[in-house]
């Protein structure tokens, strides 16, 4: 090994879902929204003054922060924005998880958490989900350096109740607790109201799922003014201009179109509930998903074999070759036509 390599920060990187470059396929593997963004997003992009690209964007991201604050009924000082929720979560790890005690998160969850912990040299412990893939709040009562969980969880889709979240918060008042709500718009109650009661709670959201803007990279966090200030202090010590001008304009336009947002969510939820019934009829089992995907297992055929068979038909779902979940497929909810094609293939294959 060369001497310079001794000082390299070595990590095992996060592996995103496959992005096939095919003209004809059904892509149900990365939890993208099958419908386009709100019409106002296209208008904002079409009317954008390209000459402004020679200027730096607003480091405070005020147009987007203001839109989000108004939408959620909170102050601007309660909102932090970043380049996708991954950027926001990474900044949260860097800012708040700086102690000697391990942070806690579920053993089956968003697989970026342990990557960030490794990158920033944060000690951590995972807590096993129960046999139905539910988070057990009591497992998070021990001393720790912070808590993070996805709700609904990924890749299971299972939802923890507000009562469970409150219980975790009540037993962790001296550390930061992060509720990663990437999928909350598809079902369940948000933990957002609890930020008025718990100044150590951060609620993180993304535009990538429910707002159909995965390609734009917008994420945000909401919490007490002090905790948001600490995040901004770290951000401005890292990169003052994280949000580009077009993202700010398009993001604000998306937030302002509530009617379209709700209509799209309702379509996805309706399709999800129908597909649940279809999959159960076929013999699949799964947790009651409250997200835009279903995490399903089939007893008499290996998930990896089903995954491969689907892939050969240019139908892409997600397969995780990991303990406890290596016989499950995560199936994103697409359009009704896409899901009908999936179900039709499964009926023949199984």
């Amino acid at each position: 090994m060369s001497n310079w390599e001794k000082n390299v920060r070595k990590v095992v990187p996060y592996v995103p879902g496959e992005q096939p470059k095919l003209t004809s396929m059904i892509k149900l593997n990365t939890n993208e929204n099958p419908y386009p963004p709100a019409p106002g997003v296209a208008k904002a992009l079409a009317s954008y003054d390209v000459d402004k690209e020679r200027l730096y964007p607003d480091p405070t991201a005020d147009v987007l922060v203001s839109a989000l604050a108004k939408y959620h009924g909170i102050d601007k000082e309660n909102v932090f924005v970043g380049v996708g929720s991954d950027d926001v979560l990474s900044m949260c790890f860097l800012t708040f998880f700086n102690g000697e005690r391990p942070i806690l998160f579920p053993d089956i969850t968003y697989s970026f958490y342990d990557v960030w912990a490794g990158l920033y040299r944060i000690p951590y412990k995972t807590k096993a989900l129960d046999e139905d893939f539910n988070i057990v709040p009591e497992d998070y009562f021990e001393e720790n350096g912070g808590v993070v969980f996805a709700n609904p969880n990924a890749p299971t889709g299972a939802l923890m109740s507000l009562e469970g979240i409150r219980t975790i918060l009540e037993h962790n008042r001296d550390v930061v607790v992060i509720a990663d709500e990437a999928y909350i718009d598809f079902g369940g109650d948000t933990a957002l109201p609890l930020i008025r009661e718990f100044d150590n709670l951060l609620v993180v959201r993304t535009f990538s799922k429910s707002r159909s803007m995965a390609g734009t990279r917008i994420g945000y966090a909401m919490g007490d003014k002090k905790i948001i200030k600490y995040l901004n202090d770290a951000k401005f010590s890292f990169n003052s201009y994280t949000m580009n001008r077009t993202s700010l304009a398009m993001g604000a336009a998306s937030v302002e179109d509530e009617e379209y947002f709700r209509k799209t969510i309702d379509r996805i939820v309706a399709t999800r509930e129908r597909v649940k019934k279809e999959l159960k009829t076929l013999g699949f089992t799964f947790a009651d998903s409250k997200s835009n995907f279903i995490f399903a297992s089939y007893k008499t055929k290996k998930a990896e074999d089903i995954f491969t068979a689907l892939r050969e038909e240019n139908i892409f779902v997600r397969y995780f070759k990991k303990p406890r979940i290596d016989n499950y497929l995560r199936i994103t909810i697409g359009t009704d036509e896409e899901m009908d094609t999936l179900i039709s293939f499964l009926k023949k294959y199984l």
Side-chain angles (χ1 to χ4, degrees):
M1 179 183 290
S2 301
N3 287 335
W4 62 265
E5 289 187 76
K6 295 178 181 178
N7 297 320
V8 173
R9 189 180 293 272
K10 301 180 182 69
V11 293
V12 178
Y14 170 76
V15 179
E18 183 180 5
Q19 297 288 352
K21 293 179 174 60
L22 302 173
T23 56
S24 178
M25 63 176 170
I26 295 177
K27 191 169 182 295
L28 308 174
N29 66 327
T30 50
N31 295 342
E32 294 150 326
N33 195 310
Y35 304 110
V41 174
K43 291 180 181 178
L45 186 60
S47 62
Y48 179 72
D49 183 359
V50 178
D51 181 60
K52 290 182 179 179
E53 284 300 294
R54 62 188 176 79
L55 304 173
Y56 284 111
D58 175 10
T60 69
D62 187 69
V63 65
L64 179 58
V65 169
S66 294
L68 288 168
K70 181 180 179 181
Y71 179 79
H72 289 291
I74 55 181
D75 294 334
K76 291 194 294 183
E77 292 79 11
N78 296 120
V79 181
F80 173 89
V81 297
V83 186
S85 60
D86 288 341
D87 178 51
V88 173
L89 287 163
S90 177
M91 195 59 62
C92 290
F93 273 59
L94 177 65
T95 306
F96 302 114
F97 297 157
N98 194 35
E100 296 180 356
R101 295 192 180 106
I103 64 170
L104 307 179
F105 51 84
D107 64 334
I108 301 171
T109 191
Y110 186 31
S111 52
F112 227 141
Y113 297 160
D114 59 350
V115 174
W116 287 316
L119 177 63
Y120 298 130
R121 302 296 187 261
I122 301 167
Y124 71 92
K125 289 172 63 176
T126 60
K127 296 296 181 177
L129 301 179
D130 69 17
E131 60 182 13
D132 295 318
F133 290 150
N134 294 308
I135 292 173
V136 182
E138 291 78 12
D139 288 344
Y140 297 83
F141 291 0
E142 67 182 65
E143 287 191 349
N144 61 75
V147 176
V148 57
F149 54 84
N151 196 47
N153 198 12
T156 67
L159 179 76
M160 178 166 51
S161 68
L162 278 183
E163 181 182 354
I165 295 173
R166 174 180 287 279
T167 300
I168 290 175
L169 285 163
E170 288 174 343
H171 286 81
N172 289 278
R173 291 182 178 270
D174 295 327
V175 298
V176 170
V177 176
I178 301 173
D180 180 358
E181 293 189 341
Y183 301 100
I184 197 66
D185 291 322
F186 299 104
D189 297 321
T190 175
L192 182 58
L194 297 177
I195 68 171
R196 302 186 186 279
E197 184 178 349
F198 297 92
D199 64 357
N200 61 324
L201 171 64
L202 270 171
V203 176
V204 177
R205 300 279 189 88
T206 179
F207 278 48
S208 297
K209 317 301 180 184
S210 56
R211 293 196 177 275
S212 306
M213 296 179 70
T216 311
R217 312 309 300 131
I218 300 175
Y220 62 106
M222 296 171 286
D224 181 81
K225 294 178 181 180
K226 181 183 289 188
I227 206 169
I228 296 299
K229 180 186 181 301
Y230 285 134
L231 264 180
N232 274 313
D233 287 347
K235 170 186 175 180
F236 293 138
S237 302
F238 184 81
N239 183 350
S240 297
Y241 302 107
T242 56
M243 300 293 295
N244 65 64
R245 285 178 170 273
T246 52
S247 292
L248 293 174
M250 294 163 67
S254 173
V255 174
E256 291 165 0
D257 196 338
E258 177 70 5
E259 182 180 356
Y260 180 86
F261 174 67
R262 292 298 166 190
K263 181 180 178 180
T264 303
I265 294 295
D266 290 345
R267 290 177 73 181
I268 292 171
V269 169
T271 303
R272 180 190 71 198
E273 295 306 304
R274 177 178 69 84
V275 172
K276 283 181 184 177
K277 295 177 182 178
E278 297 267 15
L279 290 176
K280 283 182 180 178
T281 299
L282 288 173
F284 283 91
T285 57
F286 44 85
D288 185 23
S289 175
K290 296 299 181 182
S291 59
N292 69 332
F293 59 84
I294 298 170
F295 196 57
S297 178
Y298 197 82
K299 288 185 178 181
T300 58
K301 283 191 181 292
K302 293 181 179 179
E304 188 171 14
D305 292 341
I306 301 174
F307 166 80
T308 301
L310 285 167
R311 197 175 189 281
E312 289 173 352
E313 295 294 315
N314 289 339
I315 302 173
F316 294 85
V317 298
R318 192 79 188 268
Y319 172 67
F320 300 90
K321 200 164 189 175
K322 295 182 177 181
R324 294 188 69 189
I325 60 172
D326 60 355
N327 201 37
Y328 285 81
L329 298 174
R330 194 191 67 188
I331 306 168
T332 302
I333 301 301
T335 64
D336 282 315
E337 293 76 17
E338 289 173 331
M339 303 313 290
D340 287 343
T341 301
L342 170 75
I343 295 297
S344 177
F345 172 81
L346 291 174
K347 286 179 178 178
K348 297 175 184 176
Y349 177 77
L350 299 173

